[in-house]
């Protein structure tokens, strides 16, 4: 714990991502609980590869070095399923064969036991995003904004230790982008989750309100 009573959050120490013998990025950063680190750069600069490295699922075509710590625990060599990373992508990626409630039950932490208790937690999660009564709905019937909200809750119900955002607002129209972005940032800050956001959009960085790092492709 740090002197102010907060945990250390997410620490990136000398993180380097490379491909085909070429260094894409080098980064050292600290993301405190409830804070958002924004990483900006053009396509091919390694933004998504950075998130994959943090999440533990970097493609073997890339190389990565450095240290990743969460609350002082070293995650560098820990497999993806044990890191506690929550992730949102450009698409909601809801399971089409499951209902809305089924999608949230899939994400719900196994630490919550009992069918009735788990159903209750999911119903409360739907109410939080103004989707009361949507438990049995087919995800295909949802609007883009509704799908984004369900994807967020599914991720948060897994009780992540930190959150990775891979341009999750980029396919939303302007008004909806603002709404979903505010929801994601507000929920992450309320839960004191360290967040790493990659984006092309300067307005995302401004809304995030934390440190912004700009990376580029080396010649």
């Amino acid at each position: 714990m740090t002197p102010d009573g907060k945990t250390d959050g997410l620490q990136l120490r000398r993180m380097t991502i490379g491909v085909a013998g070429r260094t894409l990025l080098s980064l050292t950063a600290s993301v405190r609980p409830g804070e958002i680190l924004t990483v900006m750069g053009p396509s091919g600069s390694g933004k998504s590869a950075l998130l994959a490295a943090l999440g533990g699922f970097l493609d073997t075509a890339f190389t990565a070095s450095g240290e990743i710590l969460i609350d002082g625990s070293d995650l560098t060599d820990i497999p993806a399923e044990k890191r506690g990373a929550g992730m949102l992508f450009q698409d909601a990626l809801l399971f089409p064969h499951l209902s809305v409630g089924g999608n949230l039950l899939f994400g719900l932490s196994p630490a919550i036991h009992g069918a009735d208790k788990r159903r209750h937690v999911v119903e409360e999660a739907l109410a939080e995003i103004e989707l009361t009564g949507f438990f049995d709905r087919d995800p295909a019937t949802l609007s883009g904004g509704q799908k984004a909200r369900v994807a967020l809750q599914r991720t948060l119900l897994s009780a992540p230790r930190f959150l990775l955002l891979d341009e999750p607002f980029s396919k939303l129209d302007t008004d909806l982008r603002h709404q979903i972005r505010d929801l994601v940032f507000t929920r992450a800050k309320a839960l004191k989750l360290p967040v790493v956001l990659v984006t092309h959009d300067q307005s995302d960085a401004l809304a995030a309100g934390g440190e912004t790092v700009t990376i580029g492709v080396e010649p």
Side-chain angles (χ1 to χ4, degrees):
M1 300 287 283
T2 51
D4 63 4
K6 294 183 179 180
T7 58
D8 293 331
L10 182 65
Q11 306 287 325
L12 313 182
R13 297 179 178 173
R14 302 174 299 280
M15 280 293 298
T16 300
I17 307 292
V19 63
R22 177 168 56 94
T23 298
L24 293 176
L25 65 89
S26 295
L27 177 64
T28 292
S30 176
V31 192
R32 299 294 301 281
E35 291 183 351
I36 302 169
L37 170 69
T38 302
V39 181
M40 301 188 68
S43 297
S45 59
K47 301 188 305 300
S48 293
L50 172 64
L51 294 189
L54 298 180
F57 51 89
L58 182 66
D59 190 285
T60 54
F62 294 87
T63 60
S65 62
E67 295 179 302
I68 306 163
L69 294 92
I70 182 71
D71 299 339
S73 298
D74 191 347
L75 299 181
T76 310
D77 297 317
I78 300 298
E81 66 273 14
K82 295 183 179 181
R83 291 195 180 195
M87 190 154 188
L88 291 175
F89 298 90
Q90 292 182 18
D91 297 305
L93 301 179
L94 301 181
F95 299 119
H97 64 290
L98 296 178
S99 67
V100 168
N103 269 271
L104 295 189
L105 285 170
F106 181 88
L108 185 59
S109 170
I112 299 175
H113 301 288
D116 290 344
K117 175 61 174 177
R118 291 175 66 83
R119 171 78 182 235
H120 178 69
V121 170
V122 166
E123 294 282 12
E124 287 190 331
L126 288 170
E128 286 179 356
I129 54 173
E130 301 179 356
L131 293 179
T132 299
F134 277 61
F135 188 97
D136 294 317
R137 284 280 292 271
D138 184 337
T141 68
L142 303 183
S143 68
Q146 290 170 336
K147 289 178 180 177
R149 283 183 274 162
V150 172
L152 170 64
Q153 290 296 70
R154 184 177 64 182
T155 297
L156 296 181
L157 285 174
S158 69
R161 301 172 75 185
F162 58 102
L163 194 59
L164 305 174
L165 307 179
D166 193 357
E167 304 197 54
F169 321 120
S170 62
K171 292 188 176 181
L172 304 174
D173 64 43
T174 301
D175 289 342
L176 192 55
R177 184 188 190 105
H178 292 165
Q179 292 176 25
I180 299 301
R181 185 174 64 198
D182 288 348
L183 175 64
V184 171
F185 291 172
T186 298
R187 296 285 287 127
K189 290 176 181 178
L191 293 171
K192 299 190 184 319
L193 294 174
V195 180
V196 180
L197 163 72
V198 302
T199 182
H200 287 95
D201 195 311
Q202 185 65 41
S203 68
D204 290 344
L206 293 174
E211 180 183 0
T212 297
V213 175
T214 301
I215 59 177
V217 179
E218 292 188 14

